[in-house]
Amino acid sequence: IGRSFIDFVHPRDRNTFASQITSGLAVPKIVNSTMVCRIRRYRGLTTGFGVKDRVVTFMPFLLKFTFKNISDEEKVIYLVIQATPFFSAFRISNEVVAKAVPFVMRHAANGNLEYIDPESVPYLGYLPQDVTDKDALQLYHPEDLDYLQQVYETIVKEGGVARTKAYRIMAQNGDYLKLETEWSSFINPWSKRLEFVIGKHHIIEGPTNPDVFQSPMSEEDKAKAQKFRENIVRIMNEVLTKPAEVAKQQMTKRCQDLASFMESLMEEQPKVDDELRLDIQDPDHSYYERDSVMLGGISPHHDYNDSKSSTGTPLS
């Protein structure tokens, strides 16, 4: 009591709310005008948490405006608002709907959404002001666009379609629900061109997530998630890991051990051929395999017929 009502209206809906009041005052004879807007829920004090620690949440409502003169003596016009809350039409995942209330959507020839019934709110979760002037074609499931292209071709040729097969449309929470649609259109009689398309939609199956009002991932959240992905890729490719440091140390030690071994090998006197040669009796081994076990088998004077090496060739 005593607070401004607009303080409780969602910031994104305040312009629409204000324009609705302005138009109502300008034409006071038009009574019971309506709009859909989000109203802030009460943040009550609970044990252990202050009001400021509670997340601000909003609920969608259908507002019915009436301007009244409460008293003939006072020349004051009062705004009376009747607020009816919206709830998701679905209770379970992929709920089959028997008798859904049909709703109308109208979009121009370029796809821009011009009008959507308030009756659509419990089914799709969108507020009219959120999707007006948005591309209606973006709401269709990508896998159904092939079929819908044929539907629109029929609409242009015949002026409408009695009722389509089931296809999918995206709800506000990002999930898809199934519907069937009766299509009609308006052709400009002078230009002979299609002006807009009207769809009367009948929901037949709900989305996987039954809460159509649940907030999808915002653009800010998407950008943040993408930033984390890029950071992970950068870390994997740029940051030197502890195993890499250990491997580097191990490699340095192996190089040092190998260098020491080679130095000691060079300092030793070459042994005679009889001590170096290993007798291999297996006739199936190739000359290469036999020579590979002879440390002296590196002489340029090597004879392949007896697999003997020159005793005068030092180890290299």
Side-chain angles (χ1 to χ4, degrees):
I1 302 297
R3 296 280 300 275
S4 171
F5 183 79
I6 204 165
D7 289 344
F8 299 92
V9 175
H10 195 286
R12 286 165 55 187
D13 300 331
R14 288 177 183 174
N15 286 340
T16 307
F17 180 81
S19 64
Q20 193 80 13
I21 295 174
T22 304
S23 61
L25 289 171
V27 189
K29 291 184 179 180
I30 301 177
V31 295
N32 295 337
S33 60
T34 60
M35 70 163 288
V36 181
C37 82
R38 286 153 288 207
I39 298 177
R40 194 178 76 201
R41 300 187 67 170
Y42 173 65
R43 292 189 296 174
L45 285 173
T46 56
T47 56
F49 294 94
V51 172
K52 292 183 179 179
D53 297 325
R54 300 287 298 278
V55 177
V56 178
T57 56
F58 292 84
M59 274 188 65
F61 282 83
L62 177 67
L63 304 185
K64 184 181 291 185
F65 297 89
T66 307
F67 295 90
K68 289 184 177 180
N69 286 320
I70 304 298
S71 172
D72 291 334
E73 296 177 0
E74 297 180 20
K75 299 299 181 182
V76 178
I77 298 176
Y78 287 88
L79 168 62
V80 179
I81 301 175
Q82 179 184 333
T84 307
F86 278 113
F87 298 98
S88 177
F90 312 105
R91 292 170 295 175
I92 58 174
S93 178
N94 301 112
E95 181 178 349
V96 176
V97 183
K99 294 181 179 179
V101 177
F103 58 87
V104 170
M105 294 171 63
R106 184 183 76 233
H107 68 76
N110 61 1
N112 275 10
L113 197 60
E114 296 178 337
Y115 172 81
I116 181 170
D117 269 343
E119 286 79 5
S120 68
V121 176
Y123 298 102
L124 298 180
Y126 299 109
L127 272 62
Q129 59 265 32
D130 288 343
V131 290
T132 303
D133 294 330
K134 299 293 191 300
D135 188 355
L137 306 184
Q138 294 290 336
L139 301 178
Y140 301 146
H141 194 288
E143 294 178 2
D144 296 332
L145 290 173
D146 183 25
Y147 167 66
L148 288 169
Q149 179 177 317
Q150 300 173 32
V151 171
Y152 275 90
E153 288 174 352
T154 306
I155 293 172
V156 173
K157 292 177 183 177
E158 308 293 335
V161 174
R163 188 149 174 166
T164 64
K165 295 189 297 184
Y167 65 97
R168 288 162 290 184
I169 192 170
M170 187 168 61
Q172 190 270 157
N173 64 8
D175 284 348
Y176 287 87
L177 39 84
K178 291 182 181 178
L179 72 164
E180 297 174 353
T181 304
E182 301 170 48
W183 294 100
S184 60
S185 64
F186 175 74
I187 309 295
N188 189 311
W190 287 275
S191 65
K192 308 297 183 183
R193 298 182 68 85
L194 185 143
E195 290 283 339
F196 56 81
V197 174
I198 300 173
K200 186 178 182 180
H201 303 292
H202 304 265
I203 304 296
I204 60 174
E205 184 180 306
T208 303
N209 179 1
D211 185 4
V212 294
F213 295 115
Q214 184 172 317
S215 298
M217 184 177 285
S218 64
E219 293 301 321
E220 183 180 350
D221 291 335
K222 289 178 183 177
K224 189 183 295 184
Q226 182 60 27
K227 187 68 176 178
F228 282 124
R229 293 189 192 100
E230 293 171 358
N231 286 342
I232 291 171
V233 172
R234 180 185 59 80
I235 288 169
M236 290 191 294
N237 288 279
E238 295 179 7
V239 179
L240 194 60
T241 61
K242 186 175 181 181
E245 289 284 0
V246 174
K248 181 180 178 182
Q249 294 172 2
Q250 291 176 344
M251 184 62 68
T252 303
K253 187 176 184 304
R254 288 175 61 187
C255 290
Q256 291 173 348
D257 292 343
L258 183 59
S260 300
F261 171 72
M262 295 300 294
E263 288 175 4
S264 64
L265 199 62
M266 293 298 293
E267 291 172 358
E268 292 180 6
Q269 292 297 321
K271 299 181 180 181
V272 295
D273 188 56
D274 291 337
E275 293 175 337
L276 293 175
R277 187 172 62 249
L278 300 176
D279 292 329
I280 298 184
Q281 304 299 331
D282 188 355
D284 295 329
H285 280 71
S286 67
Y287 288 128
Y288 174 78
E289 291 172 322
R290 289 161 57 187
D291 294 342
S292 66
V293 295
M294 294 174 58
L295 295 179
I298 54 176
S299 169
H301 312 296
H302 177 64
D303 185 351
Y304 285 98
N305 291 324
D306 57 4
S307 287
K308 291 182 180 180
S309 301
S310 170
T311 57
T313 304
L315 293 172
S316 63

